[in-house]
Amino acid sequence: MADTEERGPTSRAAQRRAAMLAAAQEAFLRDGYLGTNMDEIATASKVSKQTVYKHFGSKEALFVEIVTSMTVRAGDGVHDVSPDVQDAERITDYLRDYAFRQLTAVLTPQVVQVRRLVIGEAGRFPELAKALYDHGPQRALDSMTDVFAKLSAGGLLHVDDPRLAAEQFNWLIMSGPVNRAMLLGDDAIPTRAELRRHAENTARLIVAAYRPV
């Protein structure tokens, strides 16, 4: 019984925090940073404004938390799979699947919208852009660098500079689809079939460039 009682307050606090984050995310994505106020977030999450400030300190800190959590969640399903490829013929399949996971994680309306918001506020709140970069592109590049280093060490690719290969792969994956979605709106987000085809072509190009001779 004591164990249940100890877990109860923590669970309730976690539920309140989750409710505040959910309400804040909805408000920021709908109304932007300037159009969102803490009273609205408190009302939507059924807590007092003082409780919101107690948990997050400020509207700016709450926005940073939203940007960070959304970016981390988007990357969690992409960068947690180490290459377990022993057959050179399967490298293209591995890189295609990796590219497709990254594209589908980033090219959701919510993630695209938060990227637009961060770019719009980057001059005023540079820490927002840093949070997005550190947990998004930087995390992707670090993961891809490790992937190319392992594939090269195993003799499956010949990569002198894994970081450069990671940057090439990342921007071949992201540049066209993400730029169109960012600038032309959610209707410009490619279909899953289009993303899979783009991922396949990108993987084939990279494997051709780094195939051992």
Side-chain angles (χ1 to χ4, degrees):
M1 177 66 70
D3 185 55
T4 302
E5 290 175 352
E6 289 174 3
R7 289 200 306 267
T10 301
S11 177
R12 287 194 295 274
Q15 290 172 358
R16 282 197 300 270
R17 182 179 177 84
M20 286 183 282
L21 286 171
Q25 178 176 311
E26 181 178 351
F28 283 128
L29 293 182
R30 184 186 63 241
D31 302 325
Y33 181 81
L34 292 178
T36 298
N37 64 72
M38 299 291 263
D39 289 304
E40 176 186 8
I41 293 169
T43 299
S45 52
K46 297 181 171 58
V47 299
S48 68
K49 185 166 68 171
Q50 288 74 19
T51 298
V52 179
Y53 277 107
K54 178 181 177 182
H55 277 266
F56 301 103
S58 67
K59 177 180 170 181
E60 180 182 345
L62 178 53
F63 194 22
V64 171
E65 176 78 12
I66 293 297
V67 170
T68 300
S69 62
M70 289 185 69
T71 309
V72 168
R73 286 199 305 272
D76 280 347
V78 179
H79 310 301
D80 60 351
V81 180
S82 296
D84 185 19
V85 180
Q86 307 300 324
D87 183 351
E89 297 303 317
R90 297 192 59 197
I91 297 175
T92 299
D93 293 342
Y94 172 81
L95 293 177
R96 177 202 63 210
D97 293 344
Y98 193 116
F100 183 71
R101 287 198 307 272
Q102 180 161 342
L103 284 165
T104 53
V106 171
L107 288 173
T108 66
Q110 284 190 329
V111 174
V112 170
Q113 177 65 13
V114 82
R115 288 169 71 97
R116 293 190 192 116
L117 286 174
V118 169
I119 290 170
E121 298 294 341
R124 184 168 27 187
F125 304 126
E127 61 270 32
L128 284 174
K130 186 175 188 308
L132 178 63
Y133 185 81
D134 286 349
H135 298 287
Q138 184 68 54
R139 182 184 181 190
L141 289 173
D142 290 344
S143 176
M144 290 175 184
T145 298
D146 184 58
V147 165
F148 282 109
K150 289 177 179 177
L151 291 174
S152 186
L156 300 175
L157 294 177
H158 179 72
V159 182
D160 291 327
D161 187 340
R163 187 67 174 191
L164 176 61
E167 291 178 351
Q168 292 169 336
F169 183 50
N170 183 64
W171 295 116
L172 282 171
I173 295 169
M174 305 296 287
S175 59
V178 172
N179 279 335
R180 286 193 294 273
M182 290 289 292
L183 297 173
L184 302 179
D186 293 349
D187 289 342
I189 295 176
T191 65
R192 289 179 67 84
E194 290 169 337
L195 293 179
R196 191 171 293 280
R197 185 165 59 250
H198 177 66
E200 174 81 23
N201 291 335
T202 298
R204 289 186 181 280
L205 182 61
I206 287 292
V207 170
Y210 288 104
R211 192 184 301 279
V213 294

